[in-house]
Amino acid sequence: MAQPILGHGSLQPASAAGLASLELDSSLDQYVQIRIFKIIVIGDSNVGKTCLTFRFCGGTFPDKTEATIGVDFREKTVEIEGEKIKVQVWDTAGQERFRKSMVEHYYRNVHAVVFVYDVTKMTSFTNLKMWIQECNGHAVPPLVPKVLVGNKCDLREQIQVPSNLALKFADAHNMLLFETSAKDPKESQNVESIFMCLACRLKAQKSLLYRDTERQQGKVQKLEFPQEANSKASCPC
Ligand SMILES: Nc1nc2c(ncn2[C@@H]2O[C@H](COP(=O)(O)OP(=O)(O)OP(=O)(O)O)[C@@H](O)[C@H]2O)c(=O)[nH]1
């Protein structure tokens, strides 16, 4: 029943009530399906992965956090161009001892990756190479979108990673760069943009692949790129 759609977002019934009504009434109109995009958040311990995912999914900054063990899941349902999509965020552990048994699960069927560093800690930036290597080592398809996030920008006096250095790195790895703060409420829109931008891209990619498949089947003559694939017109970033 729950089938993946072209590898870009899995489908799940909207609710148990929806399933019950399907059994009573075979009309498919009653069975609303929601796609799920799995987005993993990766980076050194203490860079603020938990806080960023809290800010996006719950709209708040947690008073207190503890080191993530294995993984914590958070999710938020968003609406893009009339389609409801569930963004499932995997808040992964930064500490090696808390992640080693889980790494395979992080990367399995992942739809997008968020690499996070702490702008006040240069080592968390230089370690990004290692995180990217780990990601590449798990055969994540090149189409999987990746973004770079410099967190803790509220600590202006302590910034160690200059924006131009981060931008150069992001460009070299074909990623967008977001500099933000999970803590500063004024930045909450920016945090939202990180995940919404990825969700928009995933939705656009899916449409693209869908049209490509149709073309192979002779249903459409010309491959038309949806706007999002070529421009950021409807992307919040
Ligand atoms: N000033 C400031 N502190 C932050 C921000 N984001 C997170 N922190 C603090 O940084 C510390 C670590 O945050 P976490 O979100 O737990 O870090 P993590 O990357 O999830 O760490 P692991 O679970 O060990 O991988 C906490 O004390 C947070 O309060 C931010 O934007 N600004």
Side-chain angles (χ1 to χ4, degrees), residues 1-12 35-36 109 111:
M1 182 175 48
Q3 291 292 325
I5 227 185
L6 297 165
H8 284 265
S10 46
L11 291 172
Q12 80 162 28
R35 282 195 289 158
I36 303 174
N109 299 324
H111 296 120

Side-chain angles (χ1 to χ4, degrees), residues 44-51 61 65-68 91-95 151-152 154-155 181-183:
D44 276 11
S45 180
N46 248 21
V47 294
K49 300 182 294 299
T50 299
C51 294
F61 182 76
T65 58
E66 280 170 11
T68 304
D91 170 21
T92 70
Q95 285 190 46
N151 189 36
K152 306 197 188 181
D154 55 293
L155 302 173
S181 160
K183 186 171 188 177

Side-chain angles (χ1 to χ4, degrees), residues 179-195:
E179 289 182 323
T180 194
S181 160
K183 186 171 188 177
D184 183 354
K186 292 198 287 294
E187 286 285 312
S188 63
Q189 195 58 47
N190 201 2
V191 174
E192 172 111 359
S193 298
I194 299 165
F195 295 94

